[in-house]
Structure formats: C-alpha cells, structure tokens
Amino acid sequence: QNNNVSNNLNAGGGFVTNHGIVVQQGGQILIGGTGASQPNIINSNGTHGVFVFDGANNVQMTRNIISCNTSMGISLNVSGDPNTIGTKVVGNTSMTTGPTLSTTGCPGAGLPGSGNASGTSPGTNATIEVFSTPPCKTCPNVLRGEADSYQQTVTASGTTWSATGVTGNVSVTATNSTGSGGYFPTSRFSDCQVCSLPITLLYFNGHRNNFEVLLTWATAMELNNKEFTIERSENGHTFYPIGTVAGAVNSSSVISYQFVDKQPLPGVSYYRLKQEDIDGTHSLSRIIAVSDKKASGLIVFPNPSQSDVTVIASNNDLNGASSIRIYNVLGQEVFVSLVSAEALRTGVHLELSSLPQGTYTLKLVTSSEEWIEQLIKR
C-alpha cells in the first residue's frame, strides 16, 4: 500500500522484467486499500502494471491508480487472450473475464458533465469500482482498461451494476463477494468506455527557440471548445497554468494554434493542453517534453519514411537503458522499444511497416532527459 511503482523500463531479469508489480504465487494478497494513502500509483512501466501468475489466487486490488503502462494495466497471464486482464483465481475462473460496460458514448451525454454507466459483472453481487481512464491510452484499439483516477464504488445487483454521476472516459473492476481469509479476488479492468471528444487534436509539439519555447498544435474539429490552458511542469506530474488561448467554439476545418513560453524552466520543461468546454468540462492532451539543450545528436532517417527508420543518438552523456516511443497525432502510444546507449550511438533500426501513413512524434527517453522528433510515415 501507498507505493509509487513507476517507470520500470528494465527492472530485472526473468519474470520481473519491466512489470510494475509481479504476484508469482500464493494467495490472500491485498494490493492497495480504501483508506487514506493506501492505494498505489502504478504508472508508465515497460510491460504490465500488475502481472498475476497462474499460481496466485485471491489477489484483491483496490482503488489503485494504474495507468499508461506499455502493455496492460493488470495482466492475468491467460493463454491465447492477451486482452483478458485481471486476477486469475483458482476455482473461480469467472473473475478472469472482468466486468463490462453496456453504455455507449460519454456517460452523461446531454447532462452537465456527469451521467450514468452500467454493465454486467463476472461475480454475483460483486463490488464495482469505477475509474476514469487516462487520455494516454489507446483503449479502443487494444482493449486495455486502466485507471487515471478513482470515482466511486457500487455493489452489483446479481450480475448487473449501475453507477450515477460518473464523468469522462470510464473503466471498472469487479471484486467478488466471496473469497478466502477476508481477501476477495479482483477482476481485470473493463474495456475502456470511449467518449466523443470535444476536439480532434491533430498534433501538439514544442520546440526550443533560443531562450523561449514555441508550442504549436492544431485541431481538425471543435465542438463547444471555449479555450486551451497551457500547463507546465518540472517533473511531468504536477502541472501549473502559464497561459490561455481562445478556442474556435465550433469548427469543422483545420485550425492551427501557438503559444510562446518566454520563461521555460531550466533543464526539461513538460507541457500539456487543458481543453475546456463552454460548460466547464475539460480534457487533457498528452504530455510533451522540451529540453534546454541545443541538441541531443538525435538523428532519424529516412524521414519521411515508407517503412523502416534508423535512430542514432550521438550524445556522449547517454548511458544505461533508454526507450524509443512513438505517438500518433492523438497522443496515443503506438510503438515502444527498449534500447541501450551503445546501440543508439551506432544506430537502432525500427521496423514500422505496420503503422499507417501519417505524422508521428518520436520520443527518446533516458533516465534523466527526453528528446523528441517529428516522424512522417508515407
């Protein structure tokens, strides 16, 4: 309880590698809790957030914030179904399937920022925890629900459940009403509930320009978009507003925006956009990082590319393991690869033939800094 288990990109060998928490065997295990400071933060790990092996049972997970992990929020190690995520329980395999969401569109569509969500539960009279899902996940494509923030808990009526007053994108977990020794098995996350976004963000980029940072972004569609608030952080977690740019309210054409940060932080400045509707509801963009160093020696070629690219980083300060991550125009991570400093200096070959044509952001993440380059796939 009360642990921050994040950014494990090479956390050991064997079954431990790159996961946030691994439950290898045993039973009656609690991860998180309902009291103050009891939930864990399990973010941005190289594979799964929580990985439960077949030998573990009655593993209860409560109110943890599990988000932006490269693979699945909670993995069950179920053969043949990589999207079945949750806790495998000996003698109670129904909990492996997880709860479902039966609503469509945004919860609260037509209401002032809140509404209802409902679905079915894999366990009779199970406890349903409702979370909002993080904007960095590609939930519709890979069906890996995760948790950006806890919203509420409801009890299923038989095998159906419903919640009122929920907001944003939603995913849920189900904790069974029967267990062992006071520990009750928790299911996988539901598949993500997808909202109709108030804007379609084509890209969000930042570039150092002498002593300033130029932030640029564009939208392809806007619906009731009041304004953008530009937020900055020194650590990528705690953000503060530094300015606003008015939105177009309603538009179906491409609109370009920019903002100049005249006093960026020393080292690396992290930025995100907070988009606010005219009714006060808001959503957040992906986070970008801009370094005050003039160059990382980062070379990406060929660019534009029709299939493969090579990445070279000649900065002599590079050491240890790094990761190359690629994001689409919606800020969704579509590719990740762990690389060594030695490989980066000689050139890392990336096979990208499976990516559709478009504009992407390639990010090189080291233990201390990040560098970004725009990548065009033809």
Side-chain angles (χ1 to χ4, degrees):
Q1 297 176 342
N2 195 27
N3 296 288
N4 188 334
V5 186
S6 303
N7 299 301
N8 292 314
L9 298 179
N10 190 11
F15 63 83
V16 179
T17 303
N18 302 331
H19 306 296
I21 294 177
V22 174
V23 184
Q24 186 184 18
Q25 60 186 10
Q28 301 183 4
I29 296 167
L30 177 63
I31 299 175
T34 60
S37 301
Q38 288 184 344
N40 302 284
I41 298 174
I42 308 170
N43 289 346
S44 304
N45 296 290
T47 310
H48 306 311
V50 179
F51 189 12
V52 181
F53 274 69
D54 296 352
N57 62 86
N58 290 304
V59 180
Q60 182 173 341
M61 289 173 267
T62 303
R63 300 196 188 183
N64 303 291
I65 303 305
I66 306 175
S67 67
C68 297
N69 298 285
T70 299
S71 187
M72 293 176 281
I74 306 170
S75 174
L76 238 195
N77 193 30
V78 177
S79 176
D81 185 4
N83 293 323
T84 300
I85 46 182
T87 301
K88 177 177 288 186
V89 180
V90 175
N92 187 8
T93 56
S94 65
M95 294 304 287
T96 67
T97 58
T100 64
L101 284 160
S102 59
T103 53
T104 58
C106 283
L111 299 176
S114 65
N116 304 328
S118 60
T120 60
S121 168
T124 303
N125 301 326
T127 298
I128 306 294
E129 291 189 344
V130 182
F131 300 88
S132 62
T133 63
C136 54
K137 301 315 296 177
T138 53
C139 300
N141 298 323
V142 294
L143 306 178
R144 55 187 186 198
E146 292 195 310
D148 189 40
S149 61
Y150 166 79
Q151 291 198 35
Q152 60 178 282
T153 298
V154 298
T155 301
S157 176
T159 57
T160 63
W161 64 272
S162 63
T164 60
V166 299
T167 60
N169 301 344
V170 172
S171 89
V172 294
T173 61
T175 298
N176 211 345
S177 58
T178 59
S180 175
Y183 296 83
F184 306 94
T186 300
S187 78
R188 69 168 178 88
F189 281 102
S190 68
D191 300 342
C192 292
Q193 179 70 43
V194 183
C195 285
S196 299
L197 297 177
I199 65 169
T200 300
L201 187 65
L202 293 176
Y203 62 83
F204 175 41
N205 296 322
H207 301 281
R208 191 82 183 190
N209 184 14
N210 294 324
F211 298 103
E212 301 175 340
V213 170
L214 174 63
L215 301 170
T216 59
W217 66 97
T219 61
M221 184 278 294
E222 298 187 25
L223 178 64
N224 298 325
N225 178 29
K226 176 186 176 183
E227 66 183 11
F228 297 94
T229 298
I230 297 86
E231 298 184 335
R232 186 181 65 198
S233 170
E234 64 179 359
N235 56 19
H237 300 289
T238 304
F239 284 83
Y240 301 95
I242 60 173
T244 60
V245 174
V249 185
N250 296 308
S251 171
S252 58
S253 59
V254 175
I255 300 179
S256 299
Y257 297 90
Q258 69 176 36
F259 178 87
V260 177
D261 182 3
K262 296 183 179 296
Q263 294 181 313
L265 301 173
V268 178
S269 294
Y270 297 88
Y271 299 93
R272 71 184 183 189
L273 297 174
K274 178 182 178 182
Q275 178 275 324
E276 184 174 349
D277 288 0
I278 58 177
D279 65 3
T281 59
H282 69 271
S283 61
L284 299 174
S285 75
R286 71 180 180 92
I287 299 170
I288 64 172
V290 181
S291 174
D292 64 358
K293 292 190 175 182
K294 292 184 178 180
S296 64
L298 183 61
I299 301 171
V300 180
F301 69 93
N303 190 12
S305 170
Q306 292 184 342
S307 58
D308 306 345
V309 299
T310 298
V311 179
I312 299 176
S314 59
N315 192 316
N316 291 327
D317 293 335
L318 290 174
N319 56 74
S322 304
S323 65
I324 297 174
R325 299 174 182 269
I326 298 177
Y327 302 86
N328 62 18
V329 294
L330 299 178
Q332 299 167 339
E333 186 179 272
V334 295
F335 178 89
V336 62
S337 177
L338 300 179
V339 293
S340 66
E342 181 179 359
L344 281 168
R345 294 189 183 100
T346 58
V348 175
H349 178 78
L350 304 180
E351 205 285 318
L352 304 178
S353 59
S354 62
L355 294 183
Q357 295 180 357
T359 301
Y360 297 86
T361 299
L362 183 147
K363 180 186 293 186
L364 172 63
V365 183
T366 71
S367 59
S368 59
E369 296 185 84
E370 298 179 356
W371 294 279
I372 59 174
E373 289 287 340
Q374 187 180 74
L375 172 65
I376 298 175
K377 175 73 183 304
R378 288 180 175 173

